[in-house]
Amino acid sequence: MKNFVYNGQPSRVVFGAGSLQYLGREIEALGANKALVLSTPEQRASAEMIADLLGSRAAGVFDRAVMHVPIETAREAREIARKLGADCAVAIGGGSTTGLGKAIALDSGLPILAIPTTYAGSEMTPIYGITEAGIKKTGKDARVLPRTVIYDPELSLSLPVGMSITSGINAIAHAAEGLYAVDGNPIMDLMAKEGMAALGRALPAIKKVANDMTARSDALYGAWLCGTVLGNVGMALHHKLCHTLGGSFNLPHAETHTIVLPHALAYNAAAAPEAMLAIAGALNAKSAAQAVFGLAKDNGAPVALRDIGMKESDLDKACDIAMQNQYPNPRPLERAAIRQLLQDAFEGARPG
Ligand code: NAD
């Protein structure tokens, strides 16, 4: 076994169908009395339901979370939290809402209780992102890690099937890259394999029956494990490419992950054979790249960047950005091969 460093991250997880009923108990355990409830405009009704559940412990609802946390929104939410005298924030939603909670915590140290309704995994990481003047800056700070996470699969039933598939593959991407991370460790490897296997089972079942509670529970369990991997070890080529494509070309987050992952795995396959075996094994297939491609295609997710708004004329620029700032990756970054990877992802080619 190789040497490793393992950092336990302090967060409390309450998991299971119906576990939203413990919200009051969990707020009390945080020592909080006045929660500002956060959501996107689309999930306003869920935020109001949370505020009702909290009763006198609700300070108010802020429903303007959007993708990539614009600094203006973060400032507005921080100001409202201060004015209302909030002593914690409850974020109900996906990565965008959790991200807003993190931006508040970064500034104020307010504890965050997250109630995830997608599989993005942000609730398990100390990573934050804030966008200022069109540039998204990311950083790591222990203060932004939600203190408590309530995973209630009943709340994920409303996630449309298409988004469930892409969000689930977004989670698989964290686990896949965790398996070849330079700072990987055996605990994260276990979580990555278990998380991918749970999602690999769950996504086709959700595609068949959207409100299959066993599948919804498996998917959220997988999302928890994969998010934990994201929060503990460094990501590589795949996440860098998706960050570039999302940030510079405004492509949707989960779909971009879904399309790029098979190609990033094919690129790294020969340089990380053990990780590839583990990914293929977890997904019950012979090849890691083909397993992920099949999971997307067979369940109706997009497989080509051209179908989600990427322009072919921007592929050279995307490649240039991806080649800037070298970072650890199993296979060195080779310009011609990365450009080909982007072309394949653009066209939706089946990985070799
Ligand atoms: P999202 O949070 O933007 O949600 C997408 C849409 O789905 C929103 O309109 C949301 O309200 C809606 N939605 C969410 N759950 C729903 C449900 N159960 N039913 C109906 N509608 C629902 O999408 P996301 O993919 O979860 O998050 C993407 C963002 O999170 C990106 O900005 C990404 O960079 C960030 N992220 C950050 C980390 C991190 O560690 N910091 C990790 C993963 C993602």
Side-chain angles (χ1 to χ4, degrees):
M1 177 171 293
K2 67 173 189 179
N3 295 358
F4 62 87
V5 173
Y6 168 73
N7 258 314
Q9 309 224 46
S11 91
R12 173 175 165 89
V13 167
V14 180
F15 189 97
S19 52
L20 186 61
Q21 66 181 298
Y22 303 120
L23 178 64
R25 179 190 80 189
E26 293 303 322
I27 293 286
E28 204 171 311
L30 286 174
N33 275 309
K34 272 192 133 190
L36 177 62
V37 183
L38 309 173
S39 74
T40 60
E42 296 81 13
Q43 286 181 287
R44 167 98 203 175
S46 301
E48 277 170 2
M49 180 266 289
I50 295 292
D52 285 350
L53 256 180
L54 286 169
S56 61
R57 288 207 188 96
V61 169
F62 181 86
D63 71 354
R64 290 198 286 286
V66 287
M67 190 88 94
H68 305 315
V69 194
I71 185 78
E72 299 76 16
T73 315
R75 286 195 184 119
E76 204 183 334
R78 287 166 179 169
E79 188 48 36
I80 286 177
R82 243 189 307 272
K83 266 196 194 137
L84 294 172
D87 57 6
C88 80
V90 173
I92 178 154
S96 298
T97 306
T98 308
L100 178 62
K102 288 175 166 183
I104 297 174
L106 185 67
D107 177 63
S108 62
L110 277 197
I112 306 298
L113 185 150
I115 307 175
T117 61
T118 72
Y119 309 131
S122 174
E123 66 282 355
M124 294 313 295
T125 86
I127 306 161
Y128 63 87
I130 297 180
T131 304
E132 189 162 9
I135 296 169
K136 184 168 177 178
K137 286 191 193 132
T138 56
K140 253 187 177 183
D141 193 308
R143 280 178 307 175
V144 309
L145 179 73
R147 302 269 187 91
T148 305
V149 181
I150 297 182
Y151 284 108
D152 187 336
E154 285 176 5
L155 300 170
S156 66
L157 291 175
S158 55
L159 190 64
V161 169
M163 279 176 67
S164 302
I165 306 297
T166 55
S167 192
I169 297 177
N170 180 195
I172 288 175
H174 311 327
E177 289 224 292
L179 283 165
Y180 53 60
V182 273
D183 54 352
N185 66 67
I187 300 294
M188 289 307 126
D189 289 357
L190 287 171
M191 288 191 163
K193 287 185 271 190
E194 173 78 356
M196 279 191 288
L199 282 155
R201 277 194 308 275
L203 299 184
I206 290 172
K207 170 74 181 165
K208 274 196 198 112
V209 182
N211 59 358
D212 176 338
M213 270 309 288
T214 305
R216 287 290 183 181
S217 292
D218 278 352
L220 206 55
Y221 168 66
W224 165 46
L225 295 173
C226 295
T228 305
V229 175
L230 174 69
N232 275 265
V233 300
M235 297 288 113
L237 174 67
H238 167 77
H239 280 75
K240 168 81 176 180
L241 283 177
C242 292
H243 187 82
T244 300
L245 292 166
S248 306
F249 305 100
N250 206 22
L251 299 190
H253 178 80
E255 288 92 331
T256 305
H257 272 267
T258 299
I259 294 166
V260 171
L261 185 60
H263 303 285
L265 294 179
Y267 181 94
N268 279 331
E274 276 183 37
M276 297 302 150
L277 270 180
I279 298 164
L283 295 175
N284 231 343
K286 287 208 181 88
S287 141
Q290 300 227 8
V292 176
F293 187 83
L295 196 59
K297 198 171 171 67
D298 298 347
N299 291 295
V303 292
L305 290 176
R306 69 169 153 220
D307 292 340
I308 61 162
M310 184 76 189
K311 291 200 222 98
E312 191 162 17
S313 55
D314 279 335
L315 292 177
D316 282 334
K317 191 174 160 205
C319 187
D320 289 342
I321 303 172
M323 293 298 295
Q324 285 163 7
N325 311 326
Q326 296 280 321
Y327 47 89
N329 188 60
R331 175 176 167 191
L333 303 189
E334 298 160 21
R335 194 174 201 294
I338 301 275
R339 179 63 182 78
Q340 186 60 47
L341 182 170
L342 288 167
Q343 189 71 36
D344 291 344
F346 178 77
E347 290 168 7
R350 186 173 281 277

